[in-house]
Amino acid sequence: MGHDPLTGLPDRGLLSDRVGQSIFNAKRASKSIAMLVMGIDRFTIINEGLGYAAGDQLLKEFGERLSKVVRQSDTAARLDGDKFAVMTPISAIDDSVIVAEKVLKGMRQAFHLKGEDIFATLSVGLSIFPTDGKDFDELLKGLLSAMSFAKQAGGDQYRFFASDMNTKAKNRLELEKRIRGALANNEFVLFYQPKVNPKNNQVRGGEALIRWMDPVRGMIGPGEFIPVAEETGLIVDIGTWVMKEACRQTKAWQDMGYEPIKMSVNVSAHQFRAKDLIDKVVANLSSCGLDAKWLELEITESMLMNDIDAAIARMQKVRDLGCGLSIDDFGTGYSSLSYLGRFPITTLKIDRAFVRDVQENSNTAEIARAIIGLSRGLNLEVVAEGAEILEHVDFLRDNGCDSIQGFYYSKPPQRQGFRKNASQARRVKSCV
Ligand code: C2E
Ligand code: MG
Ligand code: MG
């Protein structure tokens, strides 16, 4: 038991051992594990056509590619012949699809064998612990049959052991395609939800929230497509559009003579890490002539925790432009209290979980009060989201919250509704 001499990857015995260990840990933590088994399509033809030495070379290079696409927490192994395996801890089924797609993609680049470019593809079987099997042997049995289904279907694809998973994976791919189409066809729109000063009911700002107007299914909320857009990287294009459109609209309102307001846009993890974030913000602002102080970016705590110093540097660049920077859903992420003082932010947004039951739960009320106090101490603006009833608004106002966003004042209305409601926020409720 140990390593396969040709590729240097763990062999079947070592893999079985590691899977056993991971299953043990996963059981204790109620986590899931995905296993993938992959075989090279028409390997025999390559092997016999180009000779065994070239076949070995292909296996070796594939082993190297495989080690590169998997994460450190994963195990890539060679089972036997042209069969390889990957084990990866997952938090959602989609995670396993991402690994399968990466592996398939990695294989599609040419291999240089005996001076020739050889193209090869894979058939991948997928199974999940604990749904598809309780131990290595059971999982492997399912995997091999899933892999042969992928082969029978023509190769260069993956199949789950459980058939309903195949449907789910297909739906996800379908959704990805439709999101691409939606971008090309301009099917996204922004709704603007006001942030209101509870002392005088004046609108202080707004948040741009994306909706997808699907010609077939009607309006689709961000919860249904933002996660897939995040996974596939499509969020970068969507985010670019959102920022541009929100800036354009904010400036258009100013030009129409309305009192200027600060507009927030949600920035995803992908977007926030992108090298050209700052360039894009600058280009947007200058193309529509909006002063930076009217734009605020909303980010979440979890985006900042990977590499704190890099995140702070990026945040500082946003601030140097003159834009506002807000931590969204505060209190639900890693609650980085120790870092909060170092973050060059302007605003904290109390998550609606803390607002929802301030009436019933005195602990929650205490947390909401503490976040407001913390913001004051750090000289930050504090916005509460999710205020739905008068009691929420009264509580937040009495405890010194600067702005309130919530259904009490207004659901996110479309463009026209926002301005109609903006001057008299109290009346908004009866308009939506
Ligand atoms: P978020 O940024 O925390 O936005 C606030 C969400 O709370 C919005 O949901 C809003 O409609 C909802 N909300 C506001 N007031 C109330 C209330 O009183 N009660 C309840 N129950 N909900 C309230 P929405 O529009 O469905 O957006 C959900 C999430 O999707 C947003 O959470 C944000 O994380 C994401 N999102 C929305 N637009 C974009 C976007 O353009 N780009 C990115 N990356 N994410 C977006
Ligand atoms: Mg937000
Ligand atoms: Mg939020």
Side-chain angles (χ1 to χ4, degrees), residues 144-179:
L144 292 172
S145 73
M147 186 185 80
S148 70
F149 279 128
K151 247 189 223 301
Q152 281 159 30
D156 195 21
Q157 55 191 289
Y158 60 84
R159 279 282 192 279
F160 275 101
F161 171 59
S163 61
D164 61 331
M165 295 290 185
N166 289 323
T167 319
K168 277 189 198 140
K170 229 167 77 200
N171 290 345
R172 185 183 159 278
L173 272 182
E174 190 59 32
L175 180 58
E176 183 186 336
K177 236 188 277 164
R178 286 180 39 232
I179 297 174

Coordinates of all heavy atoms in Angstrom, one line a residue, residues 144-179:
L144 N -18.2 3.1 -10.4 CA -17.8 2.4 -11.6 C -19.0 2.3 -12.5 O -18.9 2.5 -13.7 CB -17.2 1.0 -11.3 CG -15.9 1.1 -10.6 CD1 -15.4 -0.3 -10.1 CD2 -14.8 1.8 -11.5
S145 N -20.2 2.1 -12.0 CA -21.4 2.0 -12.9 C -21.7 3.4 -13.4 O -22.1 3.5 -14.6 CB -22.6 1.3 -12.2 OG -23.1 2.1 -11.3
A146 N -21.6 4.4 -12.6 CA -21.8 5.8 -13.0 C -20.9 6.1 -14.2 O -21.2 6.7 -15.2 CB -21.7 6.8 -11.9
M147 N -19.6 5.7 -14.0 CA -18.6 6.0 -15.0 C -18.9 5.3 -16.3 O -18.8 5.9 -17.4 CB -17.2 5.6 -14.5 CG -16.1 6.0 -15.4 SD -14.5 5.4 -14.9 CE -14.6 3.7 -15.5
S148 N -19.4 4.1 -16.2 CA -19.7 3.4 -17.5 C -20.9 4.0 -18.2 O -21.0 4.0 -19.4 CB -19.8 1.9 -17.3 OG -21.0 1.6 -16.6
F149 N -21.8 4.5 -17.4 CA -23.0 5.3 -18.0 C -22.4 6.5 -18.8 O -22.9 6.8 -19.9 CB -24.0 5.8 -17.0 CG -24.9 4.7 -16.6 CD1 -25.1 4.4 -15.2 CD2 -25.6 3.9 -17.5 CE1 -26.0 3.4 -14.8 CE2 -26.5 2.9 -17.1 CZ -26.7 2.6 -15.8
A150 N -21.5 7.2 -18.2 CA -20.9 8.4 -18.8 C -20.2 7.9 -20.1 O -20.3 8.6 -21.2 CB -19.9 9.1 -17.9
K151 N -19.5 6.8 -20.1 CA -18.8 6.3 -21.3 C -19.8 5.9 -22.4 O -19.7 6.3 -23.5 CB -18.0 5.0 -20.9 CG -16.5 5.3 -21.0 CD -15.7 4.0 -20.8 CE -14.5 4.2 -20.0 NZ -13.5 5.1 -20.3
Q152 N -20.9 5.2 -21.9 CA -21.9 4.8 -22.9 C -22.6 6.0 -23.6 O -23.0 5.9 -24.7 CB -23.0 3.9 -22.3 CG -22.6 2.5 -22.0 CD -23.4 1.8 -21.0 OE1 -24.6 2.2 -20.8 NE2 -22.9 0.9 -20.2
A153 N -22.7 7.1 -22.8 CA -23.3 8.3 -23.4 C -22.4 9.0 -24.3 O -22.7 10.1 -24.8 CB -23.8 9.1 -22.3
G154 N -21.2 8.5 -24.5 CA -20.3 9.1 -25.5 C -19.0 9.7 -24.9 O -18.1 10.2 -25.6
G155 N -18.8 9.6 -23.6 CA -17.6 10.1 -22.9 C -17.6 11.6 -22.8 O -18.6 12.3 -23.2
D156 N -16.5 12.1 -22.3 CA -16.3 13.5 -22.1 C -17.4 14.1 -21.3 O -17.9 15.2 -21.6 CB -16.2 14.3 -23.5 CG -15.6 15.7 -23.3 OD1 -15.0 15.9 -22.2 OD2 -15.8 16.5 -24.2
Q157 N -17.9 13.4 -20.3 CA -18.9 13.9 -19.4 C -18.9 13.2 -18.1 O -18.2 12.2 -17.9 CB -20.3 13.7 -20.1 CG -20.6 12.3 -20.5 CD -21.8 12.2 -21.4 OE1 -22.9 12.4 -20.9 NE2 -21.6 12.0 -22.7
Y158 N -19.7 13.7 -17.1 CA -19.8 13.0 -15.8 C -21.2 12.5 -15.6 O -22.2 13.0 -16.2 CB -19.4 13.9 -14.7 CG -20.2 15.2 -14.6 CD1 -21.4 15.2 -13.9 CD2 -19.8 16.4 -15.2 CE1 -22.2 16.3 -13.8 CE2 -20.6 17.5 -15.1 CZ -21.8 17.5 -14.4 OH -22.6 18.6 -14.4
R159 N -21.4 11.5 -14.8 CA -22.7 11.0 -14.4 C -22.7 10.7 -12.9 O -21.7 10.2 -12.4 CB -23.0 9.7 -15.1 CG -23.4 9.8 -16.5 CD -24.9 10.2 -16.5 NE -25.5 10.1 -17.8 CZ -25.4 11.0 -18.8 NH1 -24.7 12.1 -18.6 NH2 -25.9 10.8 -19.9
F160 N -23.7 11.1 -12.2 CA -23.9 10.7 -10.8 C -24.4 9.3 -10.7 O -25.0 8.8 -11.6 CB -24.9 11.6 -10.2 CG -24.3 12.9 -9.7 CD1 -24.5 14.1 -10.4 CD2 -23.6 13.0 -8.5 CE1 -24.0 15.3 -10.0 CE2 -23.1 14.2 -8.0 CZ -23.3 15.4 -8.8
F161 N -24.0 8.7 -9.6 CA -24.6 7.4 -9.3 C -26.1 7.4 -9.2 O -26.8 6.7 -9.8 CB -23.9 6.8 -8.0 CG -24.5 5.5 -7.6 CD1 -24.5 4.4 -8.4 CD2 -25.1 5.4 -6.3 CE1 -25.1 3.2 -8.0 CE2 -25.7 4.2 -5.9 CZ -25.7 3.1 -6.7
A162 N -26.5 8.4 -8.4 CA -28.0 8.6 -8.2 C -28.6 9.4 -9.3 O -28.1 10.4 -9.7 CB -28.3 9.3 -6.9
S163 N -29.6 8.8 -9.9 CA -30.1 9.5 -11.2 C -30.7 10.8 -10.9 O -30.6 11.7 -11.8 CB -31.1 8.6 -11.9 OG -32.2 8.4 -11.0
D164 N -31.3 11.1 -9.7 CA -31.9 12.4 -9.6 C -30.8 13.5 -9.5 O -31.0 14.6 -9.8 CB -32.8 12.4 -8.4 CG -32.1 12.1 -7.1 OD1 -31.1 11.4 -7.1 OD2 -32.5 12.6 -6.0
M165 N -29.6 13.0 -9.1 CA -28.5 14.0 -9.1 C -28.2 14.4 -10.5 O -27.8 15.6 -10.8 CB -27.2 13.3 -8.5 CG -27.4 13.0 -7.1 SD -27.4 14.4 -6.1 CE -27.4 13.7 -4.5
N166 N -28.3 13.5 -11.4 CA -28.0 13.8 -12.8 C -28.9 14.9 -13.3 O -28.6 15.9 -14.0 CB -28.1 12.6 -13.7 CG -27.0 11.6 -13.5 OD1 -25.9 12.1 -13.3 ND2 -27.3 10.4 -13.5
T167 N -30.2 14.8 -12.9 CA -31.2 15.8 -13.3 C -30.8 17.2 -12.7 O -30.8 18.2 -13.3 CB -32.6 15.4 -12.7 OG1 -32.7 14.0 -12.9 CG2 -33.7 16.2 -13.4
K168 N -30.4 17.1 -11.4 CA -30.0 18.4 -10.7 C -28.8 19.0 -11.4 O -28.8 20.2 -11.6 CB -29.7 18.1 -9.2 CG -31.0 18.1 -8.4 CD -30.6 18.0 -6.9 CE -31.8 17.5 -6.1 NZ -31.4 16.6 -5.0
A169 N -27.9 18.2 -11.7 CA -26.7 18.7 -12.4 C -27.0 19.3 -13.7 O -26.5 20.4 -14.1 CB -25.6 17.7 -12.5
K170 N -27.9 18.6 -14.4 CA -28.3 19.1 -15.7 C -29.0 20.5 -15.6 O -28.8 21.4 -16.4 CB -29.2 18.1 -16.4 CG -28.8 17.8 -17.8 CD -29.4 16.6 -18.4 CE -30.8 16.9 -18.9 NZ -31.5 15.6 -19.1
N171 N -29.9 20.5 -14.6 CA -30.6 21.8 -14.3 C -29.6 22.9 -14.1 O -29.9 24.1 -14.5 CB -31.6 21.7 -13.2 CG -32.7 20.8 -13.5 OD1 -33.0 20.5 -14.7 ND2 -33.4 20.3 -12.5
R172 N -28.6 22.6 -13.3 CA -27.6 23.7 -13.0 C -26.9 24.2 -14.3 O -26.7 25.4 -14.5 CB -26.6 23.1 -12.0 CG -25.6 24.1 -11.5 CD -24.6 23.5 -10.6 NE -23.5 24.3 -10.5 CZ -22.5 24.3 -11.4 NH1 -22.6 23.6 -12.5 NH2 -21.5 25.1 -11.3
L173 N -26.6 23.2 -15.1 CA -25.9 23.6 -16.4 C -26.8 24.4 -17.3 O -26.5 25.4 -17.9 CB -25.5 22.4 -17.2 CG -24.2 21.8 -16.9 CD1 -23.9 20.6 -17.8 CD2 -23.1 22.8 -17.1
E174 N -28.1 24.0 -17.2 CA -29.1 24.7 -18.0 C -29.3 26.1 -17.5 O -29.3 27.1 -18.3 CB -30.5 23.9 -17.8 CG -31.6 24.3 -18.6 CD -31.3 24.1 -20.1 OE1 -30.5 23.2 -20.5 OE2 -31.8 24.9 -20.9
L175 N -29.3 26.3 -16.2 CA -29.4 27.6 -15.6 C -28.2 28.5 -16.0 O -28.4 29.6 -16.3 CB -29.5 27.5 -14.0 CG -29.7 28.8 -13.3 CD1 -30.9 29.5 -13.7 CD2 -29.7 28.5 -11.8
E176 N -27.0 27.9 -16.0 CA -25.9 28.6 -16.3 C -26.0 29.2 -17.8 O -25.7 30.3 -18.0 CB -24.6 27.7 -16.2 CG -23.3 28.4 -16.5 CD -22.2 27.5 -16.6 OE1 -22.2 26.4 -16.0 OE2 -21.2 27.8 -17.2
K177 N -26.5 28.3 -18.6 CA -26.7 28.7 -20.0 C -27.7 29.9 -20.1 O -27.6 30.8 -20.8 CB -27.2 27.5 -20.8 CG -26.3 27.2 -22.0 CD -26.9 26.2 -22.9 CE -26.6 24.8 -22.4 NZ -27.4 23.7 -23.0
R178 N -28.8 29.7 -19.3 CA -29.8 30.7 -19.4 C -29.4 32.1 -18.8 O -29.8 33.1 -19.3 CB -31.1 30.3 -18.6 CG -31.8 29.2 -19.5 CD -33.1 28.6 -18.8 NE -33.8 29.7 -18.1 CZ -34.2 29.6 -16.8 NH1 -33.9 28.5 -16.1 NH2 -34.9 30.6 -16.3
I179 N -28.5 32.0 -17.8 CA -28.0 33.3 -17.2 C -27.1 34.0 -18.3 O -27.2 35.2 -18.5 CB -27.1 33.0 -16.0 CG1 -28.0 32.4 -14.9 CG2 -26.5 34.3 -15.5 CD1 -27.2 32.0 -13.6

